[in-house]
Amino acid sequence: YAEPMGKELSRRRLLGALAASAALAGCGTQGAPGETGQTASQDPNDDTITWANWTLYLDYNRKTRSFPTLEAFEEETGYTVEYREDIDDNVSFNGKVAPQLARGMDIGYDLVTPSDSLIAQWIAKGWAAPLDKANIPNAKNLLPELENVAFDPGRVYSLTYQSGFGGLAWNKERVPNGLRSVDDLWAPELKGKVVVLSEVQDTVGLVMLAQGVDIDKPFTAEQFMNALAVVEEQVDSGQIKQVKGNSYKEDLINEQAWAAIGWSGDIFQINAEEGDKWEFALPDTGGTLWSDNFLIPSTATNKAGAEALINYYYRPEVAAKVAAWVNYMCPVKGAQEILAKTEPALAKSEWIFPTEKLLSQAQVFRDFTPEEEREYTEAFGRVVQA
């Protein structure tokens, strides 16, 4: 484990600070994102870029209450970035903006960073703007293994922002023997102390892997529903206390939960400030591997600005600063060599720069067909909202 930059800032305090920053950043906008009611059009004179991201997903400086790399981009380019931590999970974010996207209306964002599964949907529905690679020359720094992905062959519409693993997390004091399998979450002593992710690909995906199903290959509806039945049983019995998006971290911090299906970088982040209380591991039957990706909505009003911002974050020296703070997998070639000089422990972290062995222990959940998307998402929603 290696501590991220900015570790002097408590993540618990930071949540409040970032919420305040987001509120201030939004003061100059007309209405909330997704509520503008205006048909999108490009403004060549627009110097504001509005970016929707997940929480705790960009380097932050407590003293200046700013995001250093973002501030440097603004100073260098003259753009103003309204940075909004508006993504808690893919389903809720999509639900907020999909009606406007379907009507070709401005959703208030020029750049978003959803996960693979949502990217696939937006591309299929024509809600993603093709990237002008002439404006993103640093796209050449994308790791070769990420250049061709099933949901976006040739990377026409997207570029990876960060990647990570879905696996098991636990409080080392409360769960002294640790967790090795998904089934360990269902131990009687953990009843009411388990939180799982509201991302179907991670929560159901881990259960499917535990049942011997390869989630990166074709599987049947019966196999999916068999795994979902396990989740339903544990929710109904009270074994699972909460099903949450990115905010599950707070349940671990305040010990409302002792164990979780969670994401790799989150656990290393909260460890940095809260006294190294948690452990993260992939289950013995395998974990999930996912990416959150830069994407420009088809309704963006400042596409050129968004492309300039993507290009900036694909500079190895900038990507290294972000990786050092968020502790997720870095998609940019050259960042590891830079970190080796400034943060050698981080440069050796297999969670940021994974080994082939670690990658072999995780699978990327395959894309759903549109029919599966409706059936499986609705079924999962009924279970977790019961």
Side-chain angles (χ1 to χ4, degrees):
Y1 160 71
E3 295 184 343
M5 291 181 179
K7 58 183 177 291
E8 76 282 351
L9 173 60
S10 163
R11 268 66 184 178
R12 199 181 324 198
R13 295 194 303 273
L14 180 56
L15 288 173
L18 295 189
S21 296
L24 288 171
C27 288
T29 63
Q30 297 297 315
E35 298 176 357
T36 63
Q38 299 296 318
T39 301
S41 61
Q42 291 294 311
D43 179 358
N45 298 314
D46 191 357
D47 63 358
T48 299
I49 306 161
T50 305
W51 176 12
N53 203 359
W54 304 72
T55 61
L56 302 184
Y57 219 21
L58 189 64
D59 53 306
Y60 186 77
N61 184 302
R62 174 183 175 232
K63 293 179 180 178
T64 60
R65 296 173 64 85
S66 66
F67 302 93
T69 57
L70 208 54
E71 196 172 64
F73 170 80
E74 291 178 321
E75 292 175 358
E76 176 182 317
T77 65
Y79 282 114
T80 297
V81 181
E82 293 193 359
Y83 183 70
R84 301 175 182 269
E85 294 187 316
D86 284 354
I87 307 178
D88 186 57
D89 63 43
N90 287 288
V91 172
S92 61
F93 181 70
N94 188 55
K96 181 172 68 172
V97 300
Q100 286 77 25
L101 285 168
R103 296 196 297 271
M105 300 171 71
D106 183 10
I107 62 171
Y109 303 115
D110 300 300
L111 186 64
V112 295
T113 51
S115 303
D116 301 339
S117 57
L118 188 53
I119 295 281
Q121 292 181 50
W122 284 24
I123 292 174
K125 293 177 180 178
W127 297 349
L131 300 175
D132 185 346
K133 295 295 181 63
N135 293 334
I136 315 174
N138 289 333
K140 68 181 186 296
N141 295 326
L142 179 67
L143 292 173
E145 54 266 33
L146 296 172
E147 289 176 356
N148 269 295
V149 289
F151 62 85
D152 186 13
R155 289 292 186 178
V156 176
Y157 299 96
S158 67
L159 285 169
T160 305
Y161 175 61
Q162 302 287 315
S163 300
F165 296 92
L168 303 173
W170 63 92
N171 182 310
K172 292 186 286 188
E173 180 181 339
R174 300 292 189 177
V175 191
N177 294 325
L179 302 174
R180 294 177 179 80
S181 71
V182 173
D183 288 344
D184 289 344
L185 291 169
W186 320 140
E189 58 269 24
L190 291 179
K191 185 170 184 178
K193 291 294 185 179
V194 176
V195 62
V196 301
L197 294 167
S198 56
E199 294 291 340
V200 61
Q201 285 84 357
D202 292 299
T203 292
V204 178
L206 286 186
V207 177
M208 291 177 73
L209 287 166
Q211 294 178 337
V213 179
D214 287 329
I215 60 175
D216 60 351
K217 297 179 175 62
F219 53 76
T220 66
E222 181 181 10
Q223 289 172 315
F224 179 90
M225 294 302 177
N226 285 343
L228 183 58
V230 172
V231 178
E232 183 174 26
E233 177 185 353
Q234 302 305 330
V235 169
D236 291 347
S237 70
Q239 184 76 19
I240 294 175
K241 178 180 176 63
Q242 297 280 351
V243 181
K244 286 190 168 184
N246 222 206
S247 58
Y248 80 95
K249 300 186 295 290
E250 289 301 291
D251 287 47
L252 292 175
I253 291 172
N254 62 30
E255 294 198 12
Q256 291 295 308
W258 295 350
I261 289 177
W263 292 315
S264 52
D266 289 345
I267 307 309
F268 306 131
Q269 285 185 23
I270 64 174
N271 262 339
E273 187 59 31
E274 303 292 336
D276 194 22
K277 296 179 181 179
W278 296 272
E279 189 65 75
F280 177 87
L282 300 184
D284 52 14
T285 48
T288 57
L289 177 61
W290 47 264
S291 294
D292 295 324
N293 304 270
F294 284 124
L295 180 139
I296 300 174
S298 57
T299 59
T301 59
N302 191 357
K303 183 173 183 286
E307 289 166 343
L309 188 59
I310 296 171
N311 189 59
Y312 172 77
Y313 277 100
Y314 261 74
R315 292 182 187 174
E317 65 274 17
V318 177
K321 291 176 182 177
V322 175
W325 204 90
V326 303
N327 275 211
Y328 276 108
M329 287 171 54
C330 180
V332 178
K333 288 185 294 188
Q336 186 172 21
E337 290 76 9
I338 291 172
L339 274 180
K341 300 174 183 177
T342 59
E343 300 275 347
L346 289 175
K348 295 177 182 177
S349 169
E350 66 175 355
W351 299 105
I352 302 176
F353 304 102
T355 60
E356 288 299 322
K357 180 180 179 181
L358 181 61
L359 289 172
S360 72
Q361 297 168 12
Q363 292 185 19
V364 176
F365 204 110
R366 70 163 175 82
D367 292 340
F368 290 146
T369 65
E371 294 75 18
E372 288 174 331
E373 184 69 41
R374 286 191 293 271
E375 179 184 1
Y376 296 164
T377 303
E378 288 176 4
F380 183 70
R382 288 193 296 270
V383 166
V384 303
Q385 293 170 13

